[in-house]
Amino acid sequence: MCGIFGVVGHPEAANIAYLGLHALQHRGQESCGIVSSNAEELFAHRAMGRVASAFTPTDLERLPGDVAIGHVRYSTAGGSHLKNAQPLAIDFELGSLAIAHNGNLTNYEAVRQRLEARGSIFQTRSDTEAVLHLIATSRAASLRDRIVDALRQVEGAYSLLFQDLRTVIAVRDPMGFRPLCLGILPLSGGGPGGRATSAQPPRAYVVASEPVAFDLIGAEFLRDVEPGEMLVIDRSGVQSSRPFDPRPRRSCLFEYVYFARPDSRLDGVGVYDVRKRAGARLFEEHPVDGARASDTVVVPVPDSGVPAAIGLAARAALPFEMGLIRSHYVGRTFIEPQQSIRHFGVRLKLNPNASVLRDKRVIVVDDSIVRGTTSRKLVRMLRSAGAREVHVRISSPPTAWPCYYGIDTPTRAELIAASHSTEEIRRYLTADTLGYLSLEGLLGAVRDAAPEAGGASDGSPGHCHACFSGDYPVPFARAERQLRLIHG
Ligand code: AMP
């Protein structure tokens, strides 16, 4: 998974992009990058690691101009190389072009084979590079039309930012898998993009995966980019068009469960609100028999389980306690634990708070179980700290299917719910009880959080929930192999 950010018309575009990426850091920590433009050429800086350490003040000074795009990339198995860092930047027939991508193209392999048969050579295993080749080989006249031509040949999930010397073009795929939103940033001075006219006060435009990126820089959220919409943004303003055939909306449900920041609103729906409502519904679907405030505590797995645990505790009228304390300073460690130090990996991040756990019945709430290793270790940890019973509650349905649209879930073989029943998983976790929220319950939580946001025009809820249901809205030929190609 990744996060993308773009800014047009700000005299310190790279600094603004840097701050925007900071706010999107949760969407990817493996690598990051910014490309800026001073209307004469593109300047790029890409590095491994997090935004705060990847850019020095000198790096940012070397990114001049009033247009910039940026990218944060999520770590994926085996694909941890600087050459995969984005934005990618190239020179071609029409000039300089940079691209930043969040999503995953499902027909990448076929597109690549076709391009290679025509003589294209690739430098990376990234599907994003294929889009650049399609643009470079298109016969359409303008950059905008070449992008449309290229994107009509790809399928799957993409929120994309393109940048030439003066323009940022933002596109969200016709099903709207990944989020993207537009904002406006008032400028106090008369910078390059902010030269005031009588009609228009000085301002810059910003686009981002999530609106939390706007909060940090003081920009105002204007609206979500609609599925299938293309925005051409330059100093004079924003032009919207819908160059693709309409498809049913299928925005990602897992963004609400785990991926997006809780303080974001996606497509008009507040993420925090969804998570709290999911927690309340989870308790309705899976109460804990005989739970009383005198002997039962609701404990979140921080940070991902916190809003759902708040909602669950309120609905159950049970005390919410921080029974697991998270270290915020966990980086990669090079100290190998001895065999005798059990649970080392999870303990580095989470430690049980015995003072609230001892002799209690504990309802521990997390957003999802992937392989099951975290929950299994947590159950043991809670018991070792004195919990009398451990009831695991998960605020989404069993994750049983890999995502081919941009979330980095492992293969089906590694997903515990792909091959085990809930009872088998409970036994593996050694929990007293285990309850997952149903898909209907989760969709209901989204619906309740923003009834006005509605569903898709075809009457469906308008979300992709393939990771829970196996109902894939876009076919993916040989997708497991494809994923390995892209990420490995
Ligand atoms: P596991 O130990 O593999 O079962 O991992 C479960 C934990 O991973 C949960 O606490 C989730 O919040 C978190 N999680 C779920 N999906 C993802 C993802 N795509 N990337 C990283 N972490 C995730």
Side-chain angles (χ1 to χ4, degrees):
M1 181 57 97
C2 304
I4 55 177
F5 184 90
V7 52
V8 180
H10 195 289
E12 293 181 62
N15 286 342
I16 293 295
Y18 170 83
L19 293 172
L21 293 182
H22 232 291
L24 297 174
Q25 186 75 82
H26 60 287
R27 297 184 70 86
Q29 301 94 42
E30 178 195 277
S31 62
C32 55
I34 295 175
V35 170
S36 74
S37 164
N38 64 355
E40 286 169 11
E41 59 181 306
L42 298 184
F43 302 83
H45 179 79
R46 287 174 289 262
M48 300 305 289
R50 297 184 183 187
V51 178
S53 55
F55 291 90
T56 63
T58 315
D59 294 330
L60 287 168
E61 278 165 24
R62 290 188 188 133
L63 296 171
D66 72 340
V67 181
I69 63 172
H71 188 269
V72 287
R73 184 170 189 269
Y74 204 79
S75 90
T76 53
S80 202
H81 302 293
L82 186 56
K83 68 176 185 179
N84 286 326
Q86 294 192 20
L88 302 176
I90 54 152
D91 285 307
F92 76 120
E93 195 184 352
L94 299 188
S96 298
L97 178 66
I99 183 172
H101 177 199
N102 175 204
N104 194 40
L105 305 180
T106 49
N107 66 339
Y108 160 69
E109 203 182 352
V111 169
R112 182 176 173 134
Q113 277 169 7
R114 211 173 65 232
L115 285 163
E116 283 180 333
R118 280 196 272 164
S120 287
I121 49 174
F122 283 81
Q123 297 201 18
T124 72
R125 279 302 196 188
S126 136
D127 50 351
T128 312
E129 195 183 357
V131 177
L132 290 176
H133 279 275
L134 290 172
I135 293 169
T137 53
S138 165
R139 293 297 97 214
S142 68
L143 175 61
R144 183 217 173 261
D145 290 348
R146 284 190 181 208
I147 291 172
V148 172
D149 188 19
L151 295 181
R152 283 188 178 143
Q153 299 173 62
V154 302
E155 286 161 17
Y158 53 85
S159 282
L160 282 165
L161 296 180
F162 299 91
Q163 174 191 0
D164 68 4
L165 294 181
R166 293 185 173 79
T167 317
V168 168
I169 297 181
V171 191
R172 192 171 175 197
D173 72 68
M175 299 180 112
F177 280 101
R178 308 263 67 98
L180 193 63
C181 56
L182 173 69
I184 193 164
L185 177 56
L187 300 182
S188 44
R195 228 167 267 131
T197 65
S198 53
Q200 272 176 337
R203 80 276 176 273
Y205 286 100
V206 280
V207 266
S209 297
E210 295 181 40
V212 285
F214 301 160
D215 298 344
L216 179 62
I217 57 173
E220 181 192 338
F221 172 85
L222 287 178
R223 64 182 180 85
D224 292 286
V225 179
E226 290 296 314
E229 186 177 12
M230 175 182 239
L231 300 179
V232 179
I233 310 168
D234 61 20
R235 291 179 190 185
S236 61
V238 181
Q239 282 181 339
S240 164
S241 61
R242 285 162 192 278
F244 310 107
D245 291 338
R247 306 278 298 273
R249 178 192 279 265
R250 289 290 179 268
S251 51
C252 170
L253 197 55
F254 201 67
E255 292 271 357
Y256 294 106
V257 170
Y258 172 79
F259 217 84
R261 246 171 64 164
D263 43 343
S264 275
R265 282 183 84 78
L266 305 181
D267 293 321
V269 182
V271 175
Y272 184 79
D273 196 13
V274 171
R275 291 183 189 169
K276 264 178 74 177
R277 288 171 190 273
R281 282 175 175 259
L282 176 57
F283 191 77
E284 286 165 15
E285 291 186 11
H286 299 284
V288 172
D289 287 343
R292 287 184 310 268
S294 55
D295 71 352
T296 310
V297 287
V298 177
V299 167
V301 178
D303 293 324
S304 55
V306 172
I310 291 172
L312 187 150
R315 178 56 53 94
L318 291 170
F320 170 94
E321 296 285 2
M322 296 304 287
L324 291 164
I325 304 300
R326 178 177 168 181
S327 164
H328 288 272
Y329 309 101
V330 182
R332 295 213 169 146
T333 176
F334 297 99
I335 306 165
E336 287 293 323
Q338 294 167 12
Q339 283 286 313
S340 55
I341 308 174
R342 287 159 70 227
H343 321 313
F344 180 84
V346 173
R347 238 181 223 273
L348 205 56
K349 186 169 162 193
L350 295 169
N351 197 42
N353 181 6
S355 65
V356 303
L357 298 167
R358 200 169 298 123
D359 297 327
K360 294 288 188 195
R361 306 176 77 201
V362 175
I363 303 176
V364 61
V365 183
D366 204 356
D367 68 287
S368 58
I369 295 176
V370 181
R371 296 176 180 85
T373 44
T374 307
S375 313
R376 181 178 157 94
K377 287 173 180 168
L378 287 178
V379 171
R380 289 192 181 177
M381 230 190 241
L382 293 167
R383 286 200 203 281
S384 71
R388 188 151 54 87
E389 293 171 15
V390 180
H391 303 272
V392 177
R393 293 293 178 272
I394 302 297
S395 60
S396 66
T399 307
W401 302 86
C403 177
Y404 299 121
Y405 313 125
I407 302 260
D408 299 306
T409 37
T411 58
R412 212 162 138 64
E414 293 165 274
L415 292 169
I416 190 166
S419 51
H420 295 82
S421 67
T422 301
E423 172 54 19
E424 286 168 338
I425 299 171
R426 183 200 66 74
R427 260 187 270 137
Y428 174 73
L429 303 185
T430 68
D432 291 278
T433 66
L434 167 65
Y436 286 95
L437 183 63
S438 67
L439 182 56
E440 296 66 38
L442 179 57
L443 289 168
V446 176
R447 218 171 27 242
D448 292 349
E452 77 281 5
S457 51
D458 63 356
S460 68
H463 291 104
C464 173
H465 40 69
C467 54
F468 306 127
S469 62
D471 180 4
Y472 289 97
V474 176
F476 50 91
R478 287 173 290 162
E480 291 241 344
R481 203 179 132 224
Q482 229 173 268
L483 270 190
R484 242 169 279 133
L485 272 176
I486 295 162
H487 299 314

